[in-house]
């Protein structure tokens, strides 16, 4: 096997491809000979079992991304030995699409205070037969629910149709502060306690977690009073997959001048901010930025304006700022 000793290059993932459905007679050298035509190879390996026999797949890491792209285009679908191989970009475990999960139990958050069992069944019963349901309250008196359907298809349809639905009253919409996210209905697959614990641990230890979470949801200000949810979505949908969108309305059903757009990925949200911030729409320059939770915003402002903040901003020798005396 040929191996790259620089760990930073190996871990970056750039130029790395995955080859599956290899003929069992293909070894490291044969794999190298096949793929070296497209560029300089940093490492090349056929995966083997404990007895040294091929598992039918391997990895090739190129020095450049361009070489990897050429290899994928030229070799994918080609017959090598007695097998037709599949060549794709290698993805780290965390970047791979999760396998579809069959489920019938869903979790509902931000349930309105006035909701009872009959109202819940009326809303969710249209998507299939409900075998059980319950409305509960947490320690702060906030309602949430679990609903179990007879089939996975019914549960998935309910999640698709109702997640992000706005059930707030006109009074609650009026009381909504413009820099706070609206409490829209959350509907998703119910997770076990162990699953939730794993996700929380992963989120807590992942570098840049806070930035990624904030980067998905955008706050849009200076909207025209005729702006609707549909027209706001239309403004931003070219930048990626939008999971929820809301233009905040007053008691006369007129836009209050701001709204929220939630993208499926941070990259999409970043592109939307870059392209749409200060763009003039109906005679007004939009403000588009990352949405912040109230606590995070207060902490940021506290740090910015606390006594002594910025005193050392224009430091001279030994960190002494200008204006410290003659």
């Amino acid at each position: 096997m040929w191996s790259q000793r620089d760990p930073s290059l190996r871990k970056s993932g750039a130029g790395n491809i995955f080859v599956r459905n290899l003929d069992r007679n293909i070894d490291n050298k044969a794999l190298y000979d096949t793929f070296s035509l497209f560029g300089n190879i940093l490492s090349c390996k056929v995966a083997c079992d404990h007895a040294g026999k091929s598992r039918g797949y391997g990895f090739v890491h190129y020095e450049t991304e361009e070489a990897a792209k050429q290899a994928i285009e030229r070799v994918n679908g080609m017959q090598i030995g007695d097998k037709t191989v599949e060549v794709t970009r290698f993805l780290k475990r965390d970047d791979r699409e999760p396998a579809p999960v069959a489920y019938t139990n869903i979790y509902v958050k931000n349930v309105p205070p006035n909701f009872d069992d009959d109202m819940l069944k009326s809303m969710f019963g249209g998507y299939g037969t409900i075998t059980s349901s319950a409305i509960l309250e947490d320690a702060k008196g906030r309602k949430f629910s679990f609903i179990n359907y007879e089939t996975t298809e019914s549960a998935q349809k309910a999640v698709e149709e109702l997640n992000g639905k706005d059930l707030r009253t006109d009074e609650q919409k009026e009381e909504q502060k413009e820099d706070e996210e609206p409490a829209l209905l959350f509907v998703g697959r119910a997770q076990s306690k162990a699953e939730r614990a794993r996700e929380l641990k992963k989120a807590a230890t992942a570098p840049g977690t806070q930035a990624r979470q904030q980067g998905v949801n955008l706050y849009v200000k200076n909207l025209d009073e005729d702006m609707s949810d549909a027209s706001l979505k239309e403004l931003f949908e070219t930048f990626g997959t939008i999971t929820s969108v809301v233009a905040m309305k007053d008691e006369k059903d007129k836009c209050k001048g701001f709204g929220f757009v939630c993208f499926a990925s941070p990259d999409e949200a970043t592109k939307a901010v870059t392209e749409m911030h200060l763009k003039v729409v109906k005679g007004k320059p939009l403000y588009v930025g990352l949405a912040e939770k109230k606590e995070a915003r207060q902490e940021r402002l506290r740090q910015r304006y606390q006594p002594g903040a910025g005193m050392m901003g224009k430091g001279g020798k030994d960190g002494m700022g200008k204006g410290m005396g003659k």
Side-chain angles (χ1 to χ4, degrees):
M1 137 178 196
W2 290 260
S3 177
Q4 169 55 240
R5 298 300 177 187
D6 185 347
S8 64
L9 287 173
R10 290 201 310 271
K11 292 178 181 179
S12 70
N16 212 351
I17 63 174
F18 176 58
V19 187
R20 65 159 59 90
N21 204 34
L22 280 173
D23 187 297
R24 302 289 171 164
N25 293 317
I26 297 293
D27 58 12
N28 290 332
K29 185 177 185 308
L31 188 67
Y32 179 89
D33 290 343
T34 301
F35 284 91
S36 61
L37 300 172
F38 308 105
N40 186 32
I41 292 177
L42 302 177
S43 63
C44 176
K45 179 183 179 181
V46 173
C48 297
D49 61 19
H50 64 281
K53 293 183 179 180
S54 170
R55 294 182 182 272
Y57 64 91
F59 307 89
V60 180
H61 194 175
Y62 285 99
E63 189 174 33
T64 66
E65 189 68 32
E66 183 59 35
K69 288 179 181 178
Q70 282 195 40
I72 292 171
E73 290 172 4
R74 301 283 188 84
V75 185
N76 185 39
M78 177 193 250
Q79 184 166 332
I80 301 178
D82 293 331
K83 296 283 190 76
T84 300
V85 299
E86 181 182 346
V87 186
T88 60
R89 179 170 162 265
F90 174 74
L91 294 175
K92 289 185 266 187
R93 189 182 300 275
D94 291 344
D95 295 334
R96 297 174 198 166
E97 285 290 329
V101 178
Y103 63 93
T104 57
N105 199 21
I106 62 174
Y107 168 63
V108 186
K109 189 170 67 172
N110 295 333
V111 176
N114 63 324
F115 252 50
D116 57 23
D117 288 332
D118 291 337
M119 296 171 72
L120 190 75
K121 289 176 181 176
S122 176
M123 173 175 286
F124 286 86
Y127 302 100
T129 302
I130 294 175
T131 58
S132 64
S133 65
I135 295 180
L136 308 168
E137 289 188 5
D138 63 16
K140 295 182 178 180
R142 296 172 297 192
K143 287 189 175 182
F144 62 97
S145 176
F146 290 97
I147 301 169
N148 195 59
Y149 283 97
E150 195 170 56
T151 66
T152 296
E153 291 74 22
S154 297
Q156 291 174 338
K157 187 67 174 175
V159 170
E160 290 170 9
E161 296 290 332
L162 295 176
N163 185 40
K165 188 176 180 66
D166 193 345
L167 297 179
R168 295 171 302 156
T169 63
D170 291 339
E171 183 180 356
Q172 288 171 329
K173 291 178 182 179
E174 177 63 27
E175 293 174 352
Q176 174 78 42
K177 295 180 180 179
E178 72 172 44
D179 54 355
E180 289 183 357
E181 296 180 46
L184 304 180
L185 195 69
F186 171 84
V187 184
R189 179 177 70 88
Q191 295 178 304
S192 68
K193 185 175 181 180
E195 282 181 304
R196 292 196 302 275
R198 282 196 299 269
E199 284 200 359
L200 288 171
K201 182 178 180 180
K202 184 178 178 180
T205 56
T209 295
Q210 185 177 3
R212 286 200 301 272
Q213 290 174 339
Q214 292 176 339
V216 170
N217 204 22
L218 301 182
Y219 170 58
V220 187
K221 189 168 64 172
N222 220 17
L223 297 173
D224 184 81
E225 65 174 9
D226 294 326
M227 184 68 67
S228 64
D229 292 352
S231 53
L232 182 59
K233 182 177 181 180
E234 188 177 348
L235 273 178
F236 285 86
E237 62 187 357
T238 57
F239 303 108
T241 303
I242 294 176
T243 58
S244 66
V245 60
V246 59
M248 307 305 296
K249 303 292 184 65
D250 60 19
E251 70 280 357
K252 296 180 181 178
D253 204 34
K254 294 288 185 181
C255 180
K256 296 169 70 175
F258 69 96
F260 297 89
V261 181
C262 191
F263 282 94
S265 78
D267 289 341
E268 294 168 343
T270 300
K271 187 177 180 182
V273 172
T274 303
E275 296 290 333
M276 295 298 289
H277 183 56
L278 299 181
K279 182 175 181 178
V280 177
V281 176
K282 293 189 176 182
K284 296 181 178 183
L286 296 183
Y287 169 88
V288 184
L290 305 181
E292 288 183 299
K293 291 187 179 296
K294 184 178 179 180
E295 295 82 3
R297 186 180 68 259
Q298 288 177 337
E299 176 62 18
R300 176 173 57 80
L301 292 174
R302 184 189 68 78
Q303 290 182 0
R304 178 183 294 179
Y305 297 112
Q306 66 182 344
M311 286 289 288
M312 307 301 285
K314 294 184 179 181
K317 188 177 179 181
D318 299 327
M320 298 299 289
K322 292 181 181 180
M324 296 295 288
K326 295 182 180 180

